[in-house]
Amino acid sequence: MGRRFGWLWASYAVSTFGTRFAFDAFTMVAILVLHAGPTEVAVLAAAGLAAGAAVSVPLGPWVEFRRKRPVMITTDLVRFAALMSVPAAFALGLLSFAQLLVVLVVVGAADITFQAAGGSYLKALVPPDGLLVANGRFESTNWTATALGPPLGGAAVGIFGPVAVVLADAISYLLSAAGIRAVGWDEPRPARTGSSRLRAGDLLDGWRFVLAHPELRPLFLNTVLVNGLIMATAPLIAVLMLDHLGFPPWQYGLAFGASCIGGLVGARMAGRLVARFGRLGVLLTSGTLRACWSLGLAFVVPGPAGLGLVIAVQVGLVTCAGVFNPVFATHRLDRIPADRIARTLSAWSITSKTAIAAMTALGGVLAGLTGPRAAIAIAGVLMLATPLLLPWKEGRGQPCSSR
């Protein structure tokens, strides 16, 4: 894939490991340092996500007609500065809940902007036949970081405290910016079509394009709903296992950490499966199979049998996701014109994060009314319907060997 992609991959790896290392760090800072209650913690998670998505709405159209590498470096530095403010304020005795919320909003908006610019930059940097390989490597890195980062970060919290892992996350973004700078290649400045000034109508361009596209619209609806349902059930299964069923924390961590091996295996298999069965065949099959697992979490029981069930369900889900995600990312980039990538990816991310925040809040309300097990079951049943939103018409309209 070449030296330039190597630097981009290294940049992605270091920032991803930093993020996973600092998994739930803000929640722990809020609880252990600021002594926040459950309501404040819920507000921190949901409001920070939703507000970050709202702030990033005008950034997608703005990024579209600018060189992407400087934008990526800038957003890395913005995340570094925002996160560094937390240990700095802590050292001065000035850290507050309001500051944590502001930092999460800034980091959330920078995340979406970076992803929008990064997708466009990757498509320009890598030849078309290398996109699936590149996305497969990113996906493998993500699952490796997810397996290793939280346990190491949890140990670091126990030794150094939660503020220290926020510091480590901040440094990872500084290293990421250095890696992107070392790529040493800037794509030509995109030519702006139409007015040179950002108009109010430009803010909706990404959504208009996706919703009018017969192939991307079903994928958009499918991925937003699936991601929202998965993330909404995460706190519910934690309550069910740790509180209602009495699993010790190490078994809970083992159940979800071990499943990351499935994601790594799936990402490594994706390229071979596409070569044999075609991109659309793999996309539709893995997208359908990943919807079949979540309902099993509603049947968890105490003891080894329950732990085994959770591990089996999570490994199955994550393996299918490990295959689906790089194929989906490649297919999406292939279908979006080069002059619309940033706007479209930004709109996609904003919708996904907003949906996750809303579904997480609704899941909490539903669990309060029915109990976590019933809420998990309802989410699992809804998940079974998500394959109906996959682009089946596109699959029937093209040969199975389509790349």
Side-chain angles (χ1 to χ4, degrees):
M1 296 291 288
R3 181 189 65 84
R4 288 171 176 167
F5 175 75
W7 277 113
L8 184 64
W9 187 17
S11 172
Y12 175 84
V14 71
S15 63
T16 302
F17 270 96
T19 300
R20 299 298 182 267
F21 183 78
F23 177 73
D24 263 358
F26 273 67
T27 298
M28 289 186 280
V29 169
I31 294 172
L32 301 177
V33 177
L34 300 179
H35 308 292
T39 301
E40 290 175 303
V41 171
V43 168
L44 190 68
L49 196 65
V55 168
S56 63
V57 168
L59 297 179
W62 179 84
V63 167
E64 192 73 79
F65 301 105
R66 282 161 178 80
R67 291 191 178 98
K68 307 306 184 290
R69 189 170 74 118
V71 171
M72 295 163 69
I73 293 172
T74 300
T75 51
D76 268 341
L77 294 178
V78 166
R79 288 183 285 188
F80 165 72
L83 290 169
M84 278 298 296
S85 72
V86 173
F90 175 74
L92 296 173
L94 301 175
L95 186 62
S96 66
F97 182 82
Q99 180 184 350
L100 291 184
L101 186 58
V102 170
V103 170
L104 278 177
V105 171
V106 172
V107 170
D111 284 344
I112 292 174
T113 306
F114 182 93
Q115 291 166 12
S120 183
Y121 190 68
L122 180 66
K123 186 171 182 177
L125 181 68
V126 174
D129 60 356
L131 273 177
L132 181 57
V133 176
N135 284 313
R137 291 181 182 179
F138 288 155
E139 186 72 10
S140 298
T141 302
N142 177 58
W143 289 114
T144 303
T146 303
L148 299 178
L152 294 175
V157 168
I159 299 172
F160 303 108
V163 175
V165 299
V166 176
L167 174 63
D169 192 18
I171 293 172
S172 77
Y173 287 116
L174 185 63
L175 295 175
S176 173
I180 294 171
R181 188 177 186 278
V183 172
W185 177 80
D186 280 312
E187 76 279 23
R189 181 182 292 276
R192 182 171 180 91
T193 56
S195 172
S196 60
R197 302 180 66 179
L198 182 64
R199 301 166 299 175
D202 294 338
L203 302 181
L204 302 178
D205 276 351
W207 284 280
R208 278 197 291 260
F209 175 75
V210 171
L211 295 176
H213 198 291
E215 300 171 7
L216 292 179
R217 182 175 59 249
L219 274 175
F220 175 71
L221 298 174
N222 173 269
T223 55
V224 167
L225 183 57
V226 168
N227 291 338
L229 289 171
I230 290 174
M231 296 304 296
T233 56
L236 305 182
I237 190 64
V239 171
L240 179 64
M241 291 182 67
L242 297 174
D243 185 15
H244 292 212
L245 301 180
F247 283 92
W250 72 267
Q251 289 186 353
Y252 173 77
L254 173 64
F256 289 90
S259 67
C260 296
I261 298 173
L264 182 59
V265 170
R268 297 295 296 270
M269 292 169 53
R272 297 186 183 95
L273 291 172
V274 167
R276 182 170 182 180
F277 299 107
R279 185 202 295 169
L280 284 170
V282 174
L283 188 71
L284 295 172
T285 302
S286 60
T288 300
L289 291 176
R290 69 179 178 151
C292 300
W293 300 93
S294 296
L295 183 60
L297 294 175
F299 301 97
V300 177
V301 295
L307 180 62
L309 175 61
V310 175
I311 292 175
V313 167
Q314 286 299 117
V315 168
L317 171 63
V318 170
T319 301
C320 295
V323 174
F324 178 87
N325 290 341
V327 180
F328 155 69
T330 302
H331 189 73
R332 179 173 62 176
L333 281 178
D334 188 51
R335 290 297 188 268
I336 304 173
D339 63 346
R340 291 181 176 271
I341 293 177
R343 283 172 288 179
T344 304
L345 295 186
S346 178
W348 208 300
S349 294
I350 290 168
T351 306
S352 181
K353 290 181 181 293
T354 304
I356 289 171
M359 290 188 191
T360 301
L362 289 174
V365 172
L366 184 61
L369 296 174
T370 65
R373 190 184 296 275
I376 292 168
I378 292 171
V381 171
L382 291 174
M383 183 74 84
L384 291 175
T386 59
L388 298 175
L389 297 174
L390 289 168
W392 293 101
K393 290 183 179 179
E394 182 185 3
R396 288 194 294 268
Q398 297 191 29
C400 184
S401 60
S402 171
R403 299 296 186 266

